[in-house]
């Protein structure tokens, strides 16, 4: 799995866990919908750390919690 794919899957995991829609996450994090859609669709191959950080704020988690997942182990180059 590529890093950008893992990021998208991780965001979706937290949305499902917290029972919020990606649209609601955008509102809570201040990230525009098209940016999140680009991450989910894979069009964004290198999402900015600042974007991930703001999404984490919207999810009420830290970057450490976000990246503490097996999704980020053995990523493809």
């Amino acid at each position: 799995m590529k890093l950008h794919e893992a990021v998208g899957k991780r965001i979706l995991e937290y949305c499902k866990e917290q029972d919020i829609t990606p649209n609601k996450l955008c509102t809570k994090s201040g990230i525009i919908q098209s940016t999140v859609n680009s991450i989910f669709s894979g069009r964004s191959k290198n999402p900015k750390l600042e974007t991930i950080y703001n999404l984490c704020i919207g999810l009420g988690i830290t970057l450490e919690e976000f990246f503490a997942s097996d999704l980020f182990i053995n990523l493809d180059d």
Side-chain angles (χ1 to χ4, degrees), residues 7-8 11 25-26 28-40 44 46-59 61 63 66-67:
V7 168
I11 295 167
L25 175 58
C26 291
K28 292 176 72 172
S29 63
I31 302 297
I32 60 173
Q33 184 75 42
S34 63
T35 298
V36 173
N37 288 343
S38 291
I39 292 170
F40 289 152
S44 177
N46 191 17
K48 292 181 181 179
L49 185 57
E50 183 177 2
T51 300
I52 297 169
Y53 174 74
N54 286 319
L55 291 168
C56 287
I57 290 172
L59 291 165
I61 61 170
L63 282 171
F66 183 81
F67 287 110

